[in-house]
Amino acid sequence: MAFKEKIGVRSVRLALTVLAGSMLFSGQSMADEAIQKVEITGSSIKRIAVEGALPVQRLSQEAIAKSGATSVADLIQALPAMQGFTIGAVAAGSDSGGNTSASLHGIGESYTLVLLNGRRIAPQGSGTTVNLNAIPMSAVERVEILTDGASALYGSDAIAGVLNFILKKNQQGATLEATYGGPEDKGGNAWNTSVTYGFGDLDEDRFNVLLSYRHDEQSKLRATDRKFAASSFVPFSRNGKNYIWDRTSTSASPAGATVAYNSGAPSTAFSPYLAQHNGTACPDGFEITTANPRACGFDTGSTVEIVPQSKRDSLFSKATYKLNDNLNAFAELAYSRYDLTARIAANPIPISIAKDSALYNTYVSPYLTPAQRADVKSVTANYRSTDFGLRASNTITETKHVVLGVEGELGAWNFESGLTWSQNSIDERYTGGYQKNQAFKDILANPEFNPFAATQKPSVQAQVAGAQFVGSVRTASTTMRGLDTHGSRELFDLPGGKASLGIGGDYRTYTYEQSPGSNATGDDIYSFNTKAAYDMSRDTYGAFVELLAPLTKSFEMTVGGRHDAVKAIDDKLNHKTVGKKDSANTYKVSARWQPVQTVLIRGSYGTGFKAPSMLEIAQPLVNAGFTAKKFDCPYPGSPLCRAEATQYNAVSQGNPDLQSEKSKQFTLGFRVEPSAAFSFGADLWDVKLRNAVSEVSEEQAFADPIKYASSFGEYIEPSTGIKYYAFKKLSVNIGKKEYRGIDWDLSANHKFSFGKLTAQLSGTHMLHANYTKAGSDNIYTSNMNFFGDTNEVTFRNLMKLTTTLDTGRLSNTVTVNYRNGYTDAPATVYNQETKKEEKNFRLQVPSYTTFDWQARFAFDKQTTIRAGIKNLFDRAPPLSLRASSGHQIGFDPRYADPMMRSFYITGNYKF
């Protein structure tokens, strides 16, 4: 029998491409619908849709609704094929602006191409990664996910695959929808509402106009709202032993003190408050640190908002006009505005304490030996400005996307051509917790200011409001301008049918700009590094040709090639060209064989090419925050050391000698459908990368500072002028990567007297996630079920089971999501029995399974209500000791949802 599409698991709809070699399968058997030619994600050739050479996953509108996802990121990042993406929660304390991304198979977000209606949109930053918040979810008709690497039509940099968000078109009438939901526990409520309206019929009126608008709001979720995230001081037990994982900070109020010495002797760090209380008591909200019994640690993790509050407005409009029976002109406009506010612990500010000052004589000198007092070089109060409140940053991200084009038939050719202007822009603002430079210096000059006191006196508190800095600290934008055209036609007869030819090309210009705020320099904000200024641009162009050859009725091949070129970077601020032009010719060969109607065998082999991002090549040395973890001094005894294990400052710099990355990939798969009630398919895929761009990790550099001496430099602390070591994030071609796995799916259905039961089980089974260590081309490591050098895990098994029982107007859906356990990041923990620290302790994190339920009731053709429960059994995120990818403590927000059990209800009305 003919194959039929499996919505939400594996599309078997043709998606032909040369470099990607991709093919999809039609949503209906040819006997069920009129034969028509369609264009599929990844191909320039329009043809009658049949089962294709490569798998594409397809999410229909109903599959999207059943997921209960309230954003594009929630929808995409829950797919088993997705690993290694960025989540919005890491916005707290970073410059991400709530960026959310897609990453197929853990290969990486920069290798996964995201399209809107088959065209590129402006990325966020200087590379190619698209912020999923730019996609107008209410306008999405379906999502097609090509899980094979590279693409002839869109560019050979799509090494991991392609996500194509296909939006609604030619709709008549209006649809209203609203959703409200929230967790059973407090915090994190969310709601959204949308309206979509279309008028005009292309066939009858010669035009159609579609408008879609949606508004979303997400309230914050505090760390203290969840037990598993409530503290930086984490007691836990493993294998009958009791441990403490201490992520508290000695930057506090009252402040800790650090004393450096002229002789080069190791610095001394202690808490004067603790010393005054005979080493037995810390203030409320503090713990005596496990690393230093003379210091109190401030619980920074308890202050974090683990889910930031946000608002989003998105608009999509498309107008289509029928020029004649064969040609349509169209215009698309997409706009989104994402407003996110993230809050983390109050600002840590190092303050110099003059030797023989009143503060020194009262809080420092009594706790030093005579020899230490005679050797004092400098004293720093590690103060945290709690009187100023939490650090709050508000980031407004806007995406604007305009396309003007023509599509249709010219003679024997099916073609489409378009002009695109697309921009992603960010305005990052500080709204609380940061200090004006001169106003804070006035506070420091106030004789009543005391960083070692638990509370400041009224005269100091009166100065705080006037010392708050509020304003923009940077604006950045990426603008893409492009022209693309492609067409296809049938050529000649072959034993299996007509051979088809596809040709096309594209030209794009990318501009990346960043400017510091006009009143946001080191002179305006205390202890602040002015954001770097950039004005960079470069051009890319490509051309492709592909040939589809049905050699027999059961066997066909696709062959073709593409040429891509990336020009050198024009650094307009520094009036120079950085890097060099690079180009590559890539190819793809794919084939499908259907020996009988119920069995399909398919495969492909091809190559890819990807240039580094503009900042990876041309970025000057700039401040890049702090290391994710605390580290001991890389060169003990040096005057550039800090007093104890701590987070060192980080700086970042590009590498103009970076080479482009090259890939080879293959797929081999099959699909069996013995009846309309059962289908099974699996596809083995493999991607090998060479000249892969990455950075020497913090762990590598601090573990072997002699070998990685180039990863360390100097950093001058703005507030004290003291020099310390800094970790340098340097882009290098690290060598090689190899990722291999199997995407599989199973679908079954059965009709009962009371309704129809459908079950869809899909998953990804990873076989390899190997890469060479930075600076090496033959020393391999792996992230497989292991928190690796890249600060992430590649899970061997991710699975999703969706079962739906349809009984007339009512349907019930249960979804089960599973990811296996893994070995966590290395951490330093305190053994409560031995009273000693254990370094490089790795926790075994258990598997994580959640159940979701949704009921859908259709009152009539116009009105539908959905109600659901996510995480039905209230499964808490497992304990994780990772110290990267966000300020959340005690769990990994990339791999588990902190909301826990939550409820939602959605109403939909069409008229």
Side-chain angles (χ1 to χ4, degrees):
M1 63 169 295
F3 287 96
K4 294 186 178 180
E5 182 173 69
K6 304 298 177 287
I7 301 299
V9 180
R10 175 73 62 203
S11 167
V12 279
R13 179 175 173 259
L14 172 70
L16 172 73
T17 189
V18 176
L19 294 180
S22 59
M23 295 185 178
L24 295 166
F25 182 52
S26 65
Q28 303 282 338
S29 68
M30 291 170 57
D32 295 333
E33 64 177 1
I35 295 176
Q36 60 180 338
K37 293 183 178 181
V38 295
E39 184 176 321
I40 308 302
T41 295
S43 176
S44 64
I45 296 176
K46 287 193 175 183
R47 59 173 295 190
I48 297 169
V50 294
E51 171 67 13
L54 288 177
V56 170
Q57 300 179 12
R58 183 179 186 270
L59 299 176
S60 67
Q61 275 187 287
E62 180 60 21
I64 294 170
K66 282 182 179 179
S67 73
T70 56
S71 70
V72 168
D74 291 341
L75 173 71
I76 296 302
Q77 293 178 349
L79 298 175
M82 291 291 162
Q83 299 198 56
F85 42 75
T86 297
I87 62 170
V90 303
S94 74
D95 289 341
S96 76
N99 180 42
T100 57
S101 65
S103 172
L104 278 163
H105 297 144
I107 299 171
E109 60 190 20
S110 64
Y111 305 97
T112 302
L113 181 59
V114 175
L115 306 173
L116 191 65
N117 272 353
R119 284 186 169 82
R120 293 187 184 231
I121 61 178
Q124 183 161 314
S126 69
T128 58
T129 302
V130 169
N131 188 343
L132 295 180
N133 288 315
I135 307 298
M137 186 167 180
S138 61
V140 174
E141 180 179 278
R142 67 185 187 275
V143 186
E144 292 177 348
I145 305 156
L146 170 63
T147 55
D148 178 54
S151 167
L153 181 58
Y154 309 115
S156 56
D157 57 342
I159 290 171
V162 179
L163 272 76
N164 189 9
F165 292 90
I166 299 170
L167 306 185
K168 299 171 184 176
K169 59 183 179 181
N170 201 29
Q171 175 176 317
Q172 289 85 41
T175 301
L176 300 176
E177 186 170 279
T179 299
Y180 181 81
E184 182 177 19
D185 295 329
K186 60 183 177 181
N189 291 341
W191 64 274
N192 65 72
T193 184
S194 67
V195 56
T196 302
Y197 178 61
F199 60 94
D201 185 278
L202 268 180
D203 294 327
E204 296 183 3
D205 304 320
R206 302 182 67 86
F207 76 92
N208 178 259
V209 177
L210 174 69
L211 297 168
S212 181
Y213 168 77
R214 174 165 165 154
H215 177 78
D216 298 78
E217 293 205 13
Q218 170 70 60
S219 63
K220 62 192 175 187
L221 178 64
R222 297 182 176 92
T224 50
D225 292 337
R226 297 294 181 268
K227 184 178 179 180
F228 55 80
S231 177
S232 300
F233 196 81
V234 185
F236 68 98
S237 299
R238 282 297 184 275
N239 300 321
K241 297 180 181 179
N242 296 319
Y243 299 94
I244 295 174
W245 186 48
D246 186 0
R247 286 276 294 163
T248 60
S249 172
T250 53
S251 291
S253 178
T258 298
V259 183
Y261 301 104
N262 290 309
S263 65
S267 299
T268 300
F270 66 96
S271 295
Y273 183 99
L274 182 62
Q276 289 175 332
H277 290 78
N278 300 317
T280 60
C282 288
D284 291 341
F286 289 73
E287 299 282 353
I288 297 177
T289 65
T290 58
N292 182 356
R294 299 184 64 193
C296 291
F298 177 64
D299 190 357
T300 57
S302 66
T303 67
V304 174
E305 293 175 359
I306 56 178
V307 174
Q309 70 181 64
S310 64
K311 294 187 292 185
R312 181 192 294 108
D313 290 280
S314 58
L315 171 70
F316 175 73
S317 177
K318 181 170 184 176
T320 306
Y321 181 73
K322 195 169 187 176
L323 298 172
N324 56 46
D325 290 341
N326 296 318
L327 290 177
N328 292 335
F330 64 89
E332 296 176 0
L333 168 66
Y335 172 81
S336 71
R337 186 181 191 273
Y338 186 57
D339 187 331
L340 179 141
T341 299
R343 297 177 180 87
I344 58 175
N347 203 12
I349 301 175
I351 298 172
S352 292
I353 303 298
K355 187 178 179 180
D356 296 327
S357 65
L359 290 174
Y360 172 84
N361 291 331
T362 302
Y363 295 98
V364 180
S365 179
Y367 309 108
L368 302 178
T369 67
Q372 288 174 326
R373 283 194 288 269
D375 193 26
V376 170
K377 177 183 178 181
S378 65
V379 178
T380 301
N382 303 309
Y383 171 69
R384 193 171 291 272
S385 56
T386 54
D387 288 308
F388 283 76
L390 300 179
R391 280 172 287 173
S393 60
N394 172 240
T395 304
I396 297 173
T397 304
E398 289 187 300
T399 300
K400 305 164 188 173
H401 181 77
V402 180
V403 179
L404 302 175
V406 179
E407 62 182 356
E409 296 182 359
L410 285 177
W413 288 89
N414 287 288
F415 87 102
E416 182 174 345
S417 185
L419 288 167
T420 302
W421 181 91
S422 189
Q423 184 182 75
N424 178 281
S425 61
I426 287 178
D427 182 3
E428 183 184 3
R429 303 175 60 85
Y430 287 168
T431 57
Y434 294 89
Q435 295 74 32
K436 293 179 181 178
N437 191 25
Q438 186 55 53
F440 191 70
K441 287 180 178 179
D442 292 341
I443 290 177
L444 297 181
N446 186 335
E448 292 192 324
F449 173 73
N450 182 358
F452 300 113
T455 58
Q456 297 299 325
K457 293 185 177 180
S459 67
V460 176
Q461 293 179 352
Q463 293 177 274
V464 167
Q468 289 271 11
F469 174 84
V470 175
S472 177
V473 295
R474 71 167 180 129
T475 55
S477 66
T478 305
T479 304
M480 184 193 78
R481 300 173 179 86
L483 167 66
D484 67 86
T485 185
H486 62 270
S488 67
R489 63 163 296 169
E490 294 179 341
L491 290 179
F492 49 81
D493 289 322
L494 286 172
K498 290 280 189 180
S500 296
L501 174 73
I503 58 174
D506 51 72
Y507 185 92
R508 296 183 300 276
T509 296
Y510 290 91
T511 301
Y512 178 65
E513 299 176 278
Q514 178 171 294
S515 300
S518 58
N519 296 306
T521 68
D523 294 331
D524 301 304
I525 306 173
Y526 188 79
S527 192
F528 179 75
N529 293 283
T530 305
K531 301 292 184 178
Y534 306 117
D535 188 355
M536 303 175 181
S537 67
R538 70 176 174 190
D539 299 337
T540 70
Y541 59 87
F544 68 88
V545 59
E546 58 183 347
L547 177 67
L548 168 68
L551 300 179
T552 70
K553 293 293 185 182
S554 62
F555 182 80
E556 68 180 29
M557 292 186 66
T558 303
V559 296
R562 180 178 176 100
H563 176 78
D564 283 290
V566 180
K567 293 186 177 181
I569 297 166
D570 182 9
D571 185 346
K572 298 176 183 178
L573 286 183
N574 296 302
H575 308 289
K576 63 180 181 180
T577 299
V578 185
K580 59 183 179 180
K581 179 182 176 180
D582 201 1
S583 62
N585 297 313
T586 52
Y587 66 89
K588 190 82 170 190
V589 178
S590 62
R592 65 180 294 277
W593 179 43
Q594 193 170 348
V596 295
Q597 194 142 13
T598 58
V599 177
L600 173 75
I601 299 172
R602 56 193 174 194
S604 73
Y605 184 85
T607 58
F609 160 82
K610 180 181 179 298
S613 73
M614 286 188 276
L615 286 185
E616 285 174 336
I617 294 174
Q619 184 183 50
L621 189 67
V622 298
N623 179 66
F626 296 89
T627 59
K629 294 176 60 177
K630 295 179 181 180
F631 291 99
D632 292 320
C633 181
Y635 306 103
S638 168
L640 299 179
C641 288
R642 292 188 180 268
E644 56 188 359
T646 189
Q647 290 174 277
Y648 275 80
N649 290 90
V651 293
S652 182
Q653 187 174 26
N655 180 357
D657 296 323
L658 280 182
Q659 302 175 35
S660 294
E661 299 169 276
K662 304 291 180 64
S663 71
K664 293 181 179 180
Q665 53 263 340
F666 73 80
T667 63
L668 181 63
F670 70 90
R671 176 163 293 280
V672 177
E673 187 174 329
S675 71
F678 180 81
S679 176
F680 176 71
D683 292 277
L684 170 70
W685 54 266
D686 181 275
V687 176
K688 291 184 175 70
L689 277 160
R690 70 180 191 275
N691 291 334
V693 175
S694 188
E695 299 170 348
V696 175
S697 70
E698 298 171 5
E699 286 80 4
Q700 280 180 280
F702 280 91
D704 194 346
I706 303 300
K707 179 178 180 179
Y708 298 107
S710 61
S711 293
F712 295 97
E714 295 182 359
Y715 174 82
I716 300 176
E717 207 165 57
S719 58
T720 64
I722 300 175
K723 290 184 179 180
Y724 293 106
Y725 282 118
F727 171 67
K728 295 172 71 174
K729 298 181 178 181
L730 304 174
S731 296
V732 295
N733 291 106
I734 67 169
K736 303 170 185 176
K737 293 182 180 180
E738 180 181 1
Y739 291 81
R740 180 184 296 173
I742 299 172
D743 293 333
W744 57 271
D745 71 89
L746 182 152
S747 180
N749 65 79
H750 184 77
K751 291 184 178 179
F752 297 93
S753 59
F754 51 84
K756 183 178 181 180
L757 178 67
T758 303
Q760 299 168 334
L761 177 64
S762 63
T764 295
H765 176 74
M766 295 292 298
L767 298 171
H768 295 302
N770 304 327
Y771 54 93
T772 52
K773 285 183 172 288
S776 166
D777 63 357
N778 58 5
I779 303 175
Y780 278 87
T781 185
S782 176
N783 286 353
M784 184 67 71
N785 292 343
F786 189 85
F787 198 103
D789 289 350
T790 57
N791 291 325
E792 61 188 19
V793 179
T794 299
F795 293 87
R796 186 177 294 278
N797 286 300
L798 292 173
M799 291 185 283
K800 180 186 288 285
L801 170 65
T802 301
T803 58
T804 300
L805 178 62
D806 287 304
T807 54
R809 294 183 179 183
L810 178 65
S811 69
N812 282 271
T813 299
V814 175
T815 302
V816 184
N817 301 282
Y818 169 84
R819 69 174 68 238
N820 59 249
Y822 63 94
T823 301
D824 203 9
T828 298
V829 299
Y830 180 76
N831 189 316
Q832 296 192 65
E833 295 176 5
T834 64
K835 308 298 183 184
K836 294 181 180 180
E837 286 190 327
E838 296 181 12
K839 295 187 176 182
N840 295 316
F841 180 93
R842 284 189 180 265
L843 190 71
Q844 294 302 311
V845 180
S847 62
Y848 186 68
T849 304
T850 59
F851 291 75
D852 302 333
W853 167 80
Q854 183 190 95
R856 173 185 179 272
F857 185 78
F859 290 91
D860 49 40
K861 291 183 178 181
Q862 287 76 41
T863 308
T864 303
I865 295 291
R866 296 178 190 266
I869 305 174
K870 296 182 180 180
N871 197 351
L872 182 64
F873 299 110
D874 207 23
R875 175 76 186 274
L879 174 66
S880 170
L881 307 184
R882 70 98 184 90
S884 60
S885 303
H887 286 245
Q888 299 87 347
I889 301 295
F891 74 107
D892 197 322
R894 298 170 296 178
Y895 308 140
D897 186 357
M899 292 292 185
M900 298 184 64
R901 183 187 291 132
S902 60
F903 305 85
Y904 65 91
I905 185 168
T906 299
N908 182 288
Y909 180 68
K910 297 178 181 180
F911 60 94

